[in-house]
Amino acid sequence: MLEELEIRNLGPISHALITPSSHMTAITGETGAGKSMLLSAIKLISGSKAEVARISPNAKEAWVQGIFSIPKTSELVDAVGKSGIELEPSENDENKSDMYVSRTVPQEGRSRATISGFAVPKTVLEQVCSRLIVIHGQSDQLRIATNSKQRELLDTVSKNSELLKQYACAYQAWKDAKDACNRLENQASSSRQRADYLRESLARIRDVNPFPNEDKELRAKRERIENSAQIVKAVSIALASLDSSQIDYGASESSEDACFLVDKASQALRNIRVDDSFNSIANQLDDIHAQLDDIVMQLAQQLDIDVSEKDLDDLNSRIHDLTDLTRRWGPTLDDVLDWSEKAQFELEDLDDSPEAIAKARAKCAQRYDDALKLAEELYKTRLNAAHDFGTLVSEELNSLAMPGAQLIISVNKRCEDLSGSIPLDANGCDDVEFLFRPFPASSDLPMSKSASGGELSRLMLAIELVIAKLTDCDEENMTFIFDEVDSGVGGVAAVELGKRLAQLSKHAQVIVVTHLAQVASFADVQFAVQKNLVENDDNSENSSFAKVANTSVIELNDLMREQEIARMLDGSESKTSLEHARELLNASRKIIDGFTK
């Protein structure tokens, strides 16, 4: 609810402070007095475009601030808090918080917006205030201007919030299943190619059938074969030095090779009988002899190199096959074996893809059926509510000097597409559109194309009244502003219009800009906008006016209100018009007191 609106240097208003009623507030004044500036101020703090031309002459900037009282339990308080903005506790109600929304428009540079002292972008300002203020007028965005907003309003009066939640979950489940199925189908072609590649690769690896480090062992063997002559020669020399009998079996045992010399030295030491130390040395020589024998045996085995040309070709062919494997899936044979193991698991998964696609399609179809069932239930609730809602709004329009005018709410279930399915979206399986018929012979046209500014305002008033009746909701957090609502209305219809606005003010804060005394008489608080000519303080060469307009906004007391109502009735404050104004105010008050609260 708007607790206070303060304006500085906006158009002809140098300063104004307005404290509207929590129920109905009327703003009156002669044409051209500056009532539009009050709407401009509210639009500014609602995030509308800042226009430098609206800054008062001689002023450097225009400034507007609105103070809103919001229950601490409101979702808006939580949303603002998550943005890091702290609201102040209300001085008048411990269960509410005060939110200060301001907008500054300088002559040069960008406009600045703040919420409770925190600078915010204009878009944030618009999002926040759109949940607090609704302006109904010829040039303003309607509360239900779009089909999505119209559907949202219809769902509100349908009281199907729980069904909407169920459908939202079912719709999302269908979307997820559909996306998963599409991914599998899109991957089917590439999966088949991948499976073919894996099969060919695994067959190649199985044909070669390598074992770990086989390639290293074969390369070492090939190197020995290729260098066999050099190896035999070197080994023969080593054997001849260590044990000549390994080379020349006819040689005398007295040949002085290494083994013979070691054995000879050991025998010589054992012949010394002086002490045991020589025997110890002899034992060490015996150990050396044993080691030499072992080395001789190993070297003799190395001389056994007998490989044919065919064996060498087979060895090279095997090495070539192993090299091909490591080149493609290596770099080592261990890597090749590891890859083949993983490829086998992947191939098994890919071979299951047709079955997986079939399961995904079945799941998608089931999810669609679940969502469609709930969508059709939503369609029925909307269809039933549309008839009742349209009838009630049309009845209200008849009372607002629009006889024969009708609101027709079209709820059409979508037709099946080429696949034989009914298209679904996040809202269900139907399309909602509000159509307006201003007179019986007129065609049913979209609201924005079939109503004038005054008709739109009265249509929106009728809609707001019916919403309050059907939903039994308390919209005390909302501020409804009606401009041009009294266009083309007079007499008894004007009284009915004021009565309807007063009824709405029992559920929400209502601010109405009006030229009709019958409408203003129903207000709890009335402000008069008055234009005065004052001396121009600008003595610069650019100023050619001795006097400039200065608009004041005055809250009217009882006497002043009678005078303003009298002026609105016949343009004067005669005794007759004052008596008429007094009677009108009293009659309106009696009607208000008779409302069921």
Side-chain angles (χ1 to χ4, degrees):
M1 184 183 350
L2 181 62
E3 295 278 355
E4 181 179 292
L5 179 67
E6 187 171 3
I7 305 169
R8 293 185 184 275
N9 301 322
L10 185 65
I13 301 176
S14 58
H15 180 257
L17 182 64
I18 302 170
T19 54
S21 166
S22 59
H23 297 292
M24 180 174 171
T25 301
I27 298 175
T28 60
E30 294 184 358
T31 301
K35 297 187 296 296
S36 61
M37 286 299 103
L38 297 179
L39 289 175
S40 296
I42 293 174
K43 290 178 183 179
L44 274 177
I45 61 173
S46 299
S48 68
K49 182 180 179 180
E51 298 180 8
V52 176
R54 292 189 178 275
I55 302 175
S56 300
N58 308 330
K60 295 182 179 180
E61 61 182 24
W63 176 81
V64 179
Q65 176 176 269
I67 303 177
F68 295 88
S69 179
I70 309 171
K72 292 182 178 180
T73 56
S74 171
E75 293 180 358
L76 182 59
V77 173
D78 293 336
V80 171
K82 290 179 181 178
S83 301
I85 300 174
E86 298 181 3
L87 303 184
E88 296 184 5
S90 175
E91 297 180 357
N92 302 323
D93 191 338
E94 62 181 7
N95 296 320
K96 293 187 177 183
S97 298
D98 288 338
M99 183 171 70
Y100 293 74
V101 181
S102 67
R103 187 88 178 273
T104 303
V105 183
Q107 287 283 2
E108 298 180 357
R110 301 174 60 182
S111 65
R112 299 183 301 276
T114 64
I115 295 179
S116 293
F118 293 84
V120 295
K122 183 175 71 70
T123 53
V124 172
L125 197 70
E126 184 176 3
Q127 292 171 1
V128 170
C129 290
S130 65
R131 301 170 68 172
L132 296 171
I133 300 175
V134 178
I135 301 175
H136 295 310
Q138 185 173 9
S139 60
D140 302 304
Q141 181 71 24
L142 293 177
R143 186 184 183 188
I144 54 172
T146 63
N147 293 118
S148 61
K149 291 293 184 181
Q150 293 170 4
R151 182 195 303 277
E152 183 180 333
L153 187 148
L154 184 59
D155 285 334
T156 299
V157 298
S158 299
K159 299 180 181 180
N160 57 10
S161 58
E162 188 59 35
L163 187 58
L164 278 171
K165 292 178 183 178
Q166 294 176 15
Y167 173 75
C169 294
Y171 176 75
Q172 188 59 49
W174 171 60
K175 290 287 290 181
D176 293 342
K178 187 177 180 181
D179 291 341
C181 186
N182 288 338
R183 283 195 300 270
L184 287 175
E185 291 176 342
N186 293 334
Q187 292 170 359
S189 176
S190 60
S191 295
R192 286 192 294 270
Q193 295 176 2
R194 176 67 175 171
D196 292 341
Y197 166 73
L198 292 176
R199 288 191 189 93
E200 294 173 359
S201 300
L202 289 171
R204 172 60 178 162
I205 295 173
R206 280 194 294 267
D207 289 343
V208 177
N209 193 24
F211 59 83
N213 297 320
E214 182 184 2
D215 55 341
K216 294 180 180 178
E217 295 176 6
L218 292 179
R219 285 192 178 92
K221 185 176 181 180
R222 183 177 62 181
E223 188 175 2
R224 283 170 53 79
I225 294 172
E226 291 174 345
N227 295 279
S228 59
Q230 182 180 356
I231 293 172
V232 169
K233 182 180 180 181
V235 170
S236 297
I237 293 172
L239 282 172
S241 301
L242 294 174
D243 187 356
S244 59
S245 65
Q246 295 294 324
I247 302 300
D248 182 8
Y249 294 100
S252 171
E253 291 184 2
S254 62
S255 300
E256 294 185 354
D257 52 32
C259 291
F260 174 76
L261 293 174
V262 170
D263 188 51
K264 185 177 179 181
S266 174
Q267 290 296 329
L269 291 175
R270 291 187 188 280
N271 291 330
I272 300 174
R273 307 293 183 177
V274 178
D275 55 41
D276 293 336
S277 61
F278 294 103
N279 283 330
S280 176
I281 296 173
N283 290 336
Q284 294 180 34
L285 288 172
D286 290 342
D287 292 338
I288 292 173
H289 188 279
Q291 292 179 20
L292 288 172
D293 286 342
D294 185 56
I295 292 172
V296 167
M297 185 178 295
Q298 293 182 45
L299 288 174
Q301 292 174 351
Q302 300 299 324
L303 291 174
D304 187 17
I305 303 176
D306 185 16
V307 180
S308 66
E309 192 69 27
K310 180 179 181 303
D311 293 336
L312 186 59
D313 289 342
D314 292 343
L315 185 64
N316 283 328
S317 177
R318 180 67 177 175
I319 292 174
H320 177 270
D321 290 341
L322 296 175
T323 301
D324 181 60
L325 296 184
T326 56
R327 179 180 58 81
R328 296 174 66 180
W329 301 290
T332 68
L333 279 181
D334 286 341
D335 293 323
V336 173
L337 295 171
D338 183 59
W339 182 90
S340 65
E341 183 179 357
K342 294 178 179 177
Q344 185 61 45
F345 288 117
E346 183 181 355
L347 181 60
E348 292 173 0
D349 291 338
L350 291 174
D351 286 339
D352 292 338
S353 60
E355 182 180 352
I357 291 175
K359 289 181 179 179
R361 287 174 176 169
K363 182 178 180 180
C364 184
Q366 181 61 51
R367 293 288 186 268
Y368 171 82
D369 290 341
D370 295 341
L372 179 61
K373 182 179 179 180
L374 292 170
E376 289 176 337
E377 291 183 29
L378 276 175
Y379 164 69
K380 292 177 182 177
T381 63
R382 289 167 179 160
L383 196 62
N384 293 333
H387 177 267
D388 296 340
F389 186 65
T391 300
L392 291 173
V393 171
S394 299
E395 291 175 357
E396 289 290 343
L397 289 173
N398 186 61
S399 300
L400 295 174
M402 296 176 67
Q406 285 184 286
L407 174 67
I408 297 95
I409 301 177
S410 171
V411 184
N412 295 316
K413 186 176 179 180
R414 302 185 188 115
C415 299
E416 293 182 353
D417 56 21
L418 296 177
S419 65
S421 300
I422 297 176
L424 299 179
D425 59 19
N427 301 304
C429 64
D430 53 56
D431 297 310
V432 176
E433 185 177 16
F434 281 28
L435 304 173
F436 182 58
R437 186 185 301 164
F439 51 90
S442 172
S443 301
D444 298 340
L445 299 172
M447 289 172 53
S448 59
K449 297 180 180 179
S450 57
S452 64
E455 288 174 334
L456 279 175
S457 293
R458 276 175 277 169
L459 174 59
M460 292 309 305
L461 172 59
I463 289 174
E464 300 295 358
L465 285 168
V466 174
I467 291 174
K469 290 178 181 179
L470 293 181
T471 59
D472 295 323
C473 64
D474 186 3
E475 294 185 290
E476 64 176 4
N477 298 328
M478 294 297 297
T479 299
F480 294 99
I481 299 172
F482 291 92
D483 183 29
E484 302 183 27
V485 71
D486 53 8
S487 177
V489 177
V492 176
V495 175
E496 286 297 322
L497 177 59
K499 181 179 177 181
R500 295 300 191 278
L501 287 166
Q503 284 179 333
L504 179 60
S505 71
K506 296 301 177 181
H507 303 274
Q509 184 181 40
V510 174
I511 300 175
V512 56
V513 179
T514 181
H515 294 280
L516 292 178
Q518 294 93 330
V519 173
S521 65
F522 281 92
D524 298 273
V525 174
Q526 184 173 346
F527 288 86
V529 180
Q530 300 176 349
K531 180 189 289 186
N532 305 302
L533 292 178
V534 297
E535 296 294 331
N536 189 359
D537 295 332
D538 186 5
N539 297 321
S540 64
E541 296 179 358
N542 297 328
S543 176
S544 58
F545 300 98
K547 293 186 177 183
V548 294
N550 182 44
T551 294
S552 59
V553 182
I554 303 171
E555 182 176 355
L556 305 179
N557 57 30
D558 291 343
L559 178 59
M560 297 169 65
R561 191 173 183 189
E562 289 179 2
Q563 294 171 343
E564 176 67 6
I565 294 294
R567 181 198 64 77
M568 296 173 70
L569 286 170
D570 66 1
S572 66
E573 297 179 16
S574 64
K575 181 178 179 181
T576 302
S577 62
L578 286 172
E579 289 179 355
H580 188 185
R582 197 174 299 113
E583 291 175 358
L584 182 59
L585 287 167
N586 290 333
S588 299
R589 181 53 51 192
K590 288 180 180 179
I591 294 175
I592 295 173
D593 292 339
F595 288 159
T596 301
K597 297 184 180 180

